[in-house]
């Protein structure tokens, strides 16, 4: 399968990318291409131009900035998974990056691409939602804005990004307390049928977020409230599917996913709170 | 058309390509390096695995323009001076292939992994190869081959002997 023809330009800087995007409404950013190229091969996406940002300097670093770990948008899953800074200060992010696809996918795919693609079946967005991460976005005229994960994922493949904006950084608060990310899949390299991120005592109380249980990553608010009111994990987990709208597909019905989410939330909470 | 310059198996290659040309077709059709196979064409099977700057990637899901200025190694670049690469040798010794279709991708994925982890456990080898499917389902001997290549003195000969008899099948 060969994608439809498109123009290709390589951006020298973030501002150059923004300028190139601004000159063509149908242009799209290319980072690793591991979500975009499969869609283009199936002609589910037909951008007129790809603006390749993969060679832009300064977007592939991970740094410890006291209040937050700052991850450049172009950091590959492989480097997130193997980052000493993240393993020490926010191990759930490193662990989850290592659960994505397979090693070859992780050598190419980027955290920024995963976030900007806003696929509700993706693993990292769920973890970033649970952590309360912040997305740093740059637009025309050098303007930057910050968006919390809770607002950034607006719907199915719908990030809070204008066509001429670039996601430059992801700021992740330090979290060294108990955590768990459980991903249930049938075959080793598959996407999650359902995934669960659980954090013990993050600020107010335990936090739980779900992968592939709706049109975006979702907080399991009913579970969190029950835990806050003193319920034990097994009881609280029964509320996992409240407020969700999971998809039905060849791998599992919505009903199956609802049941699965309860089991996984219980296990994730037990791990995180152990 | 866009000009690309890629170092393929140590040789500088330049060409005019359409931006939509996938790396695997650049290698196979542009350069005649047909050792890299296309199985699924959807980034699932790993038979198109090559190294870009020494790391395994799926060349059916990368554009040739993305490899511009970088170093690509294909299965053709593994043997040197008439000598098989130790991983190829281990696949041969352990009968790590049946029809051979998945083999170039398996060899490329496995060598990339050993660069990262020189003495993996069996479980780690299986996990490292999760993106590579073998339709002949010859996984047992593939895993043995990779363990053998990693440390022949530790497990290799014993496994080779058990599988192939004292002559090692070679
Ligand atoms: C075989 C396979 C298995 C996979 N399995 C999993 C899995 O189990 N779990 C999982 O979570 N993911 C999985 N993925 C997806 C993988 O994580 C992708 O790498 C990732 O989703 C996209 O990153 P990318 O850098 O390749 O982005 P691209 O494909 O280059 O871009 C994706 C989208 O984001 C936009 N974009 C990219 N970067 C930016 C930016 N900085 N600013 C603004 N917009 C941007 C692009 O325009 C495009 O619309 C898998 C992919 C493959 C091919
Ligand atoms: S042909 Fe590339 S992964 Fe199957
Ligand atoms: S040996 Fe036949 S596909 Fe693996």
């Amino acid at each position: 399968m060969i994608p439809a023809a498109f123009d290709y330009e390589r951006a020298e800087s973030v501002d150059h990318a923004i300028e190139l995007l601004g000159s063509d409404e149908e242009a799209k950013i290319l980072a690793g291409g591991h979500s975009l190229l499969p869609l283009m091969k199936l002609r589910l996406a037909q951008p007129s131009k790809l603006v390749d940002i993969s060679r832009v300097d300064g977007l592939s670093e991970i740094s410890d900035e006291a209040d937050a770990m700052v991850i450049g948008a172009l950091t590959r899953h492989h480097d997130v998974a193997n980052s000493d800074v993240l393993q020490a200060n926010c191990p759930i992010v490193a662990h989850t990056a290592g659960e994505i696809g397979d090693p070859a996918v992780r050598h190419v795919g980027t955290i920024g691409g995963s976030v900007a693609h806003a696929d509700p079946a993706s693993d990292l967005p769920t973890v970033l939602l649970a952590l309360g991460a912040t997305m740093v976005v740059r637009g025309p005229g050098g303007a930057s804005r910050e968006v919390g994960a809770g607002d950034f994922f607006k719907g199915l493949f719908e990030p809070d990004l204008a066509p001429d904006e670039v996601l430059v950084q992801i700021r992740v608060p330090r979290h060294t307390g108990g955590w768990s990310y459980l991903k249930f899949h049938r075959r080793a390299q598959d996407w999650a049928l359902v995934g669960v991120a659980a954090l013990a005592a993050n600020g107010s109380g335990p936090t739980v977020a779900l992968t592939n249980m709706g049109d975006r990553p979702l907080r399991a608010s009913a579970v969190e409230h029950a835990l806050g009111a003193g319920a034990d994990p097994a009881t609280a987990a029964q509320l996992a599917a409240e407020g969700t709208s999971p998809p039905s597909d060849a791998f599992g019905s919505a009903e199956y996913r609802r049941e699965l989410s309860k089991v996984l939330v219980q296990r994730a909470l037990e791990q995180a709170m152990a | 058309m866009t000009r690309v310059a890629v170092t393929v198996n140590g040789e500088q290659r330049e060409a005019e390509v359409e931006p939509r040309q996938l790396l695997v077709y650049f290698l196979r059709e542009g350069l005649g390096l047909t050792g890299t196979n296309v199985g699924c064409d959807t980034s699932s099977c790993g038979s198109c695995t090559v190294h870009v700057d020494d790391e395994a990637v799926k060349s059916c899901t990368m554009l040739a323009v993305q490899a511009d200025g970088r170093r690509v190694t294909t299965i053709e670049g593994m043997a040197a001076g008439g000598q098989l690469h130790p991983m190829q040798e281990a696949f041969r010794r352990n009968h790590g292939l049946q029809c051979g279709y998945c083999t170039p991708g398996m060899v490329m994925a496995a060598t990339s992994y050993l660069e990262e982890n020189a003495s993996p456990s069996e479980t780690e080898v299986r996990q490292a190869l999760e993106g590579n499917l073998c339709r002949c389902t010859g996984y047992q001997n593939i895993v043995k081959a990779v363990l053998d290549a990693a440390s022949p003195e530790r497990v290799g000969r014993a496994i080779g002997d058990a599988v192939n008899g004292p002559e090692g099948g070679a």
Side-chain angles (χ1 to χ4, degrees):
Chain A
M1 290 176 295
I2 313 290
F6 54 83
D7 293 332
Y8 172 84
E9 303 236 34
R10 196 173 289 157
E12 311 285 342
S13 65
V14 174
D15 291 332
H16 184 215
I18 292 167
E19 190 188 308
L20 291 170
L21 290 165
S23 67
D24 183 343
E25 272 180 22
E26 301 292 311
K28 263 196 147 320
I29 289 177
L30 176 72
H34 267 40
S35 288
L36 187 52
L37 292 177
L39 289 181
M40 288 171 62
K41 288 165 86 176
L42 294 167
R43 312 273 163 126
L44 293 173
Q46 287 202 31
S48 55
K49 181 194 284 182
L50 289 187
V51 175
D52 185 348
I53 60 169
S54 64
R55 318 266 171 135
V56 172
D57 285 335
L59 290 188
S60 320
E61 277 104 51
I62 300 174
S63 55
D64 180 350
E65 289 189 3
D67 60 323
M69 305 305 119
V70 181
I71 309 174
L74 287 176
T75 314
R76 305 173 310 158
H77 303 319
H78 173 83
D79 298 320
V80 171
N82 290 296
S83 156
D84 293 338
V85 169
L86 292 175
Q87 282 172 1
N89 295 293
C90 206
I92 188 173
V93 174
H95 167 84
T96 305
E99 293 287 297
I100 294 172
D102 57 59
V105 168
R106 298 195 289 272
H107 285 147
V108 181
T110 67
I111 187 169
S114 191
V115 168
H117 195 55
D119 182 340
S122 287
D123 300 300
L124 282 172
T126 306
V127 168
L128 297 175
L129 176 67
L131 286 164
T134 304
M135 316 305 165
V136 183
V137 174
R138 180 122 135 199
S144 274
R145 62 191 181 93
E146 300 199 353
V147 194
D151 296 320
F152 186 84
F153 301 106
K154 297 199 297 185
L156 192 65
F157 304 117
E158 205 194 330
D160 180 6
L161 276 176
D164 57 355
E165 283 184 321
V166 180
L167 173 64
V168 288
Q169 284 177 341
I170 294 134
R171 299 177 67 88
V172 183
R174 193 182 309 274
H175 182 90
T176 51
W179 60 273
S180 173
Y181 184 73
L182 294 182
K183 172 176 178 177
F184 189 89
H185 48 181
R186 294 251 170 111
R187 296 168 306 190
Q189 62 160 357
D190 278 351
W191 295 70
L193 256 99
V194 173
V196 176
L199 303 173
N202 183 34
S204 47
T207 309
V208 181
L210 305 169
T211 301
N212 216 0
M213 285 293 287
D215 66 354
R216 67 193 89 178
L218 297 173
R219 284 280 285 269
S221 313
V223 176
E224 294 173 356
H225 286 139
L227 290 166
D232 60 276
T235 311
Q238 292 312 307
L239 305 170
E242 257 183 43
T244 66
S245 47
S248 283
D249 58 28
F251 297 107
S253 63
E255 198 49 38
Y256 177 74
R257 284 189 162 88
R258 281 191 202 98
E259 286 307 305
L260 183 58
S261 69
K262 298 176 193 171
V263 176
L264 293 179
V265 166
Q266 180 178 341
R267 286 184 196 162
L269 282 171
E270 284 168 356
Q271 273 187 14
M273 293 159 84
Chain B
M1 301 291 271
T2 304
R3 186 141 202 95
V4 292
V6 188
T7 306
V8 182
N9 299 333
E11 245 180 82
Q12 177 79 359
R13 309 296 291 257
E14 291 191 32
E16 292 278 332
V17 298
E18 265 195 280
R20 63 174 168 167
Q21 175 148 61
L22 296 164
L23 178 59
V24 69
Y25 295 117
F26 173 70
L27 295 168
R28 286 179 58 86
E29 292 168 11
L31 304 183
L33 294 170
T34 52
T36 305
N37 289 332
V38 178
C40 65
D41 203 2
T42 58
S43 66
S44 305
C45 76
S47 71
C48 65
T49 306
V50 300
H51 293 177
V52 174
D53 291 344
D54 298 325
E55 289 178 324
V57 307
K58 293 177 170 180
S59 62
C60 71
T61 308
M62 181 176 268
L63 302 168
V65 289
Q66 289 177 286
D68 181 36
R70 303 176 73 178
R71 264 180 309 113
V72 174
T73 309
T74 68
I75 191 71
E76 288 92 343
M78 296 302 275
Q83 288 277 316
L84 289 180
H85 184 278
M87 185 65 73
Q88 292 173 306
E89 192 53 55
F91 268 69
R92 183 165 98 160
R93 197 160 54 230
N94 293 284
H95 197 67
L97 59 154
Q98 293 178 51
C99 78
Y101 201 85
C102 69
T103 313
M106 289 286 180
V107 168
M108 301 314 283
T111 45
S112 163
Y113 181 64
L114 291 193
E115 285 294 314
E116 249 176 68
N117 180 0
S119 58
S121 66
E122 178 182 337
T123 305
E124 286 173 329
V125 169
R126 288 183 183 275
Q127 282 167 351
L129 295 179
E130 67 187 347
N132 293 73
L133 304 181
C134 176
R135 287 200 69 178
C136 301
T137 68
Y139 296 107
Q140 295 290 0
N141 287 355
I142 290 170
V143 172
K144 278 180 191 159
V146 179
L147 289 169
D148 186 3
S151 83
E153 57 295 335
R154 182 170 54 121
V155 288
R157 294 299 157 195
I159 288 173
D161 289 351
V163 173
N164 299 316
E167 301 309 315

